[in-house]
């Protein structure tokens, strides 16, 4: 998890430098580390209390919401219409806030319900990024970024589905 957090700093630096090769490289490393972490979580799931699993997915949700906000902003600076991404992202922020609030109130089931809503938002975000690619609204590096985001969101969606 720390390695993924370290990569996030590198990703932010790459976005600031607008270095598409570095963005791609860091995204691929984050994806690899996320997949490894997902396997570890899946293998340890039986041994981990439900509250810890919920807390983990809240943290993953925080990173995914932050990352999609950054990517959406980057696409917007390229002149791409991201209105639907902003709308879906707003729903994701609300559902993430609900999950955190329920968790902090020791309402594990409420947090799980909100995380399932967040998962639905991630599905909608994934589909919106896919639509940008299919409709030809993004090309080149922006297309690659959208495709990588779809993959990362899909992994998060699958992980949430499998563990809670």
């Amino acid at each position: 998890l720390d390695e993924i957090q370290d990569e996030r700093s590198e990703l932010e630096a790459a976005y600031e430098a607008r270095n598409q090769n570095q963005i791609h490289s860091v995204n691929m490393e984050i994806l690899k580390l996320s997949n490894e972490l997902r396997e570890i979580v899946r293998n340890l799931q039986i041994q981990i209390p439900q509250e810890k699993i919920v807390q983990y997915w809240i943290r993953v949700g925080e990173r995914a919401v932050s990352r999609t906000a950054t990517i959406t902003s980057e696409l917007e600076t390229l002149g791409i219409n991201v209105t639907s991404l902003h709308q879906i992202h707003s729903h994701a922020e609300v559902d993430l806030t609900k999950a955190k609030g329920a968790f902090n109130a020791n309402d594990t089931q409420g947090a799980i319900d909100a995380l399932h809503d967040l998962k639905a938002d991630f599905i909608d975000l994934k589909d919106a990024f896919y639509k940008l690619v299919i409709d030809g609204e993004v090309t080149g590096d922006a297309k690659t970024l959208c495709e990588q985001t779809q993959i990362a969101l899909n992994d998060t969606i699958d992980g949430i589905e499998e563990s809670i």
Side-chain angles (χ1 to χ4, degrees):
L1 193 55
D2 291 334
E3 291 177 39
I4 293 171
Q5 186 69 16
D6 292 341
E7 291 294 328
R8 181 174 178 224
S9 298
E10 287 187 37
L11 182 61
E12 289 171 355
Y15 273 117
E16 287 177 18
R18 296 187 187 267
N19 182 334
Q20 294 300 321
N21 289 333
Q22 184 65 18
I23 291 169
H24 175 72
S25 174
V26 174
N27 272 330
M28 294 310 293
E29 182 63 23
I30 290 171
L31 179 61
K32 180 183 134 232
L33 291 170
S34 295
N35 285 336
E36 289 173 6
L37 184 58
R38 186 171 135 217
E39 281 299 312
I40 291 168
V41 168
R42 186 180 306 140
N43 292 337
L44 294 176
Q45 198 171 23
I46 295 173
Q47 303 168 18
I48 300 174
Q50 187 73 16
E51 292 80 16
K52 293 291 183 187
I53 294 171
V54 169
Q55 185 178 35
Y56 167 79
W57 286 112
I58 288 172
R59 288 183 182 150
V60 170
E62 289 172 335
R63 287 191 305 277
V65 166
S66 174
R67 186 174 21 179
T68 55
T70 301
I71 293 167
T72 300
S73 294
E74 180 70 20
L75 293 173
E76 190 170 34
T77 63
L78 297 173
I80 297 166
N81 181 352
V82 292
T83 303
S84 66
L85 289 173
H86 280 304
Q87 291 171 343
I88 298 165
H89 194 269
S90 292
H91 291 290
E93 288 175 323
V94 168
D95 289 330
L96 178 60
T97 299
K98 287 179 185 175
K100 289 163 49 174
F103 182 78
N104 290 336
N106 295 319
D107 179 5
T108 302
Q109 187 56 52
I112 290 171
D113 293 343
L115 285 170
H116 282 287
D117 292 341
L118 181 62
K119 180 188 79 170
D121 299 328
F122 287 159
I123 291 169
D124 292 343
L125 275 170
K126 178 189 70 148
D127 292 345
F129 281 108
Y130 178 73
K131 186 173 181 343
L132 289 174
V133 171
I134 292 301
D135 290 350
E137 294 184 40
V138 291
T139 58
D141 292 337
K143 178 180 177 185
T144 301
L145 182 59
C146 287
E147 291 169 340
Q148 291 169 345
T149 303
Q150 288 173 252
I151 292 167
L153 285 169
N154 198 58
D155 287 343
T156 301
I157 292 161
D158 289 347
I160 291 171
E161 184 63 33
E162 291 172 6
S163 64
I164 57 172

